[in-house]
Amino acid sequence: MSNLAGRRVVLGVTGGIAAYKAVEVCRRLVDAGAHVIPVLTDSACRMVGPTTFSALAGEPAHMSMFDDSSSPIPHTSIARSADVVVVCPATARVISDIRTGRSGDLLTATILATRAPLVVCPAMHTEMWEQPSVRENIEVLASRGVIVVPPESGRLAGGDLGPGRLAALADIVSAVERATGAAHPLDLVGMKVLVTAGGTREPIDAVRFIGNRSSGKQGHAVALEAKARGADVVLVTTRPDTAPEAVSVIAVETAEEMAEACSLHAPTSDLVIMAAAVADFKTAGSSDHKIKKSDGVPEFVLVPTVDILAAMGASKPAGQVLVGFAAETDDLEANAAAKLVGKNLDVIVANDVSKPGAGFGFDTNEVVVLMADGSRHHVPMCDKREVARMVINAAVDIAGREPGKQE
Ligand code: CTP
């Protein structure tokens, strides 16, 4: 597996001459398996074209807080999705902004909004690099845990010689790998993980369905986290359009299709995480044609769908860890605990979907992770990737593996 497979790397490029080297850094990160999200400052765009980064990276380069088609608030969505942010090259200006917490553009706002590790690769003329103000800023960043990849001594723009030249590109890529490694122990290497996500759609006729509000975001975050920790991930989802690229995706629509995909992969999976919102009922028979209004108000007979998780719980292979989600609006923990026992699970993630900011459609969530041994862990409101991390930590605990250790 490539060292950065499944990891989302924000590549911040600022306006130093060494910006042209960031193109090669981008390519190397992609070669190492990363999904690279380029964020360029205005000055960087004067040095290198955003089109170059867009062509090489996992997604088009981002430049503006305000005209970004991917999101109305791009700095928070980019920041939350990042596994690591690397600023390459980092000018004296951006180093100072990071130190003081100034958010004057998309890149500095993203850096402020992220909890991901930050790697800073300074490059500037010797006189600037040796300024006490710059030295002090660098020391403060390092003392806060920022990984600084120091510049080398060598030939600089304009023919000068001295310290300030961007570090060797291999050292920059290694620093990014180290930073993500610290955030994600590779404790799922060699494990097969089956994840389900999204809400199923049960057809009524050729154009209508019974559905629910699930966006698939929580399940997709779980799949990405499992991949980042080294697992071989199969993601069964009703939302393949927004599924992470690095995992193997099976697109389904109905509970029956999801059950079929799960029955194929569950028996050989070490860990199964059922985050999908599966419809409990479907129509007894759906029409291939559109039901016409002129035919009067239709009446439907509903029949239960298969309970996929309960079926997997009933035939759970030895050693497999089975995790369910409980979407509740009342008596959160009691209802979730009943499902934990009733479906023979090892872990259940109790999700109060009536809470503002939690559950369906949001980027954030708040859950209580309940284990079969009676222990519980409250995960306060945070982004869904963080919830995914906690859920997988719980599963790893049950499997008797310590995070960071391989069996
Ligand atoms: N689940 C499933 N198949 C179903 C229904 C639910 O596999 N037909 C799974 C969900 O993916 C989830 C867990 O069971 O992991 C709990 O789902 P939830 O909707 O919270 O509960 P239900 O068992 O459907 O019960 P209720 O709707 O009455 O709360």
Side-chain angles (χ1 to χ4, degrees):
M1 193 186 68
S2 306
N3 293 345
L4 291 171
R7 313 219 165 160
R8 294 175 66 89
V9 179
V10 172
L11 174 62
V13 185
T14 64
I17 297 290
Y20 79 91
K21 295 185 181 172
V23 173
E24 179 63 14
V25 170
C26 179
R27 197 189 60 78
R28 290 191 187 200
L29 292 170
V30 169
D31 285 350
H35 176 97
V36 177
I37 305 152
V39 177
L40 275 63
T41 64
D42 286 347
S43 315
C45 293
R46 289 174 175 257
M47 301 289 177
V48 272
T51 314
T52 313
F53 287 96
S54 300
L56 290 173
E59 61 181 72
H62 300 264
M63 275 89 67
S64 166
M65 295 274 288
F66 305 106
D67 321 311
D68 198 298
S69 56
S70 67
S71 162
I73 31 176
H75 63 295
T76 53
S77 51
I78 295 169
R80 283 186 184 141
S81 72
D83 292 310
V84 61
V85 177
V86 52
V87 184
C88 171
T91 55
R93 193 275 300 172
V94 81
I95 290 166
S96 166
D97 283 356
I98 298 169
R99 186 215 170 147
T100 54
R102 183 169 178 274
S103 67
D105 55 20
L106 177 61
L107 177 60
T108 45
T110 301
I111 291 168
L112 270 184
T114 194
R115 291 201 174 119
L118 178 61
V119 179
V120 165
C121 313
M124 62 196 77
H125 271 89
T126 305
E127 293 82 349
M128 297 170 80
W129 175 242
E130 290 181 344
Q131 275 297 334
S133 54
V134 175
R135 311 295 320 169
E136 189 189 303
N137 286 343
I138 286 289
E139 275 162 28
V140 171
L141 294 197
S143 72
R144 290 178 189 158
V146 172
I147 298 164
V148 177
V149 187
E152 294 181 335
S153 206
R155 221 158 75 83
L156 302 165
D160 304 343
L161 271 177
R165 190 171 74 174
L166 187 73
L169 306 191
D171 291 347
I172 294 171
V173 174
S174 302
V176 173
E177 287 170 358
R178 276 201 313 279
T180 54
H184 303 288
L186 286 172
D187 51 359
L188 300 184
V189 171
M191 289 179 79
K192 177 173 172 182
V193 177
L194 172 65
V195 182
T196 66
T200 63
R201 292 175 165 192
E202 309 303 327
I204 292 172
D205 67 9
V207 297
R208 303 178 180 93
F209 59 85
I210 300 171
N212 61 64
R213 298 180 201 279
S214 170
S215 62
K217 286 180 182 173
Q218 185 61 75
H220 293 178
V222 169
L224 204 52
E225 174 68 11
K227 181 75 191 177
R229 288 164 73 152
D232 177 13
V233 179
V234 175
L235 171 64
V236 180
T237 179
T238 63
R239 301 297 301 269
D241 49 328
T242 52
E245 285 161 21
V247 303
S248 151
V249 172
I250 301 178
V252 296
E253 194 165 306
T254 62
E256 201 174 317
E257 288 167 7
M258 187 170 276
E260 198 182 316
C262 288
S263 67
L264 203 64
H265 289 279
T268 52
S269 293
D270 302 285
L271 168 59
V272 178
I273 303 179
M274 189 82 198
V278 186
D280 290 325
F281 307 102
K282 62 180 181 179
T283 55
S286 66
S287 167
D288 291 341
H289 303 281
K290 186 182 175 200
I291 299 170
K292 299 303 287 177
K293 204 160 41 183
S294 51
D295 294 338
V297 179
E299 281 185 11
F300 301 114
V301 176
L302 297 180
V303 294
T305 57
V306 54
D307 191 319
I308 306 168
L309 187 58
M312 290 192 291
S315 58
K316 191 166 63 158
Q320 182 183 79
V321 177
L322 191 55
V323 180
F325 273 67
E328 307 293 346
T329 53
D330 309 286
D331 299 328
L332 178 68
E333 292 191 38
N335 281 334
K339 288 173 190 172
L340 176 79
V341 175
K343 301 194 190 202
N344 191 29
L345 311 180
D346 299 291
V347 180
I348 194 147
V349 184
N351 204 171
D352 182 348
V353 290
S354 66
K355 222 174 200 169
F360 297 145
F362 294 102
D363 289 328
T364 49
N365 211 353
E366 177 178 346
V367 302
V368 181
V369 180
L370 303 176
M371 318 261 206
D373 66 3
S375 57
R376 70 185 281 288
H377 177 61
H378 175 232
V379 183
M381 190 72 73
C382 58
D383 67 73
K384 286 185 168 172
R385 183 64 187 265
E386 187 60 23
V387 171
R389 217 164 273 165
M390 295 303 167
V391 170
I392 290 185
N393 284 350
V396 166
D397 249 18
I398 301 255
R401 294 162 182 251
E402 288 171 31
K405 236 190 199 177
Q406 257 180 269
E407 273 188 353

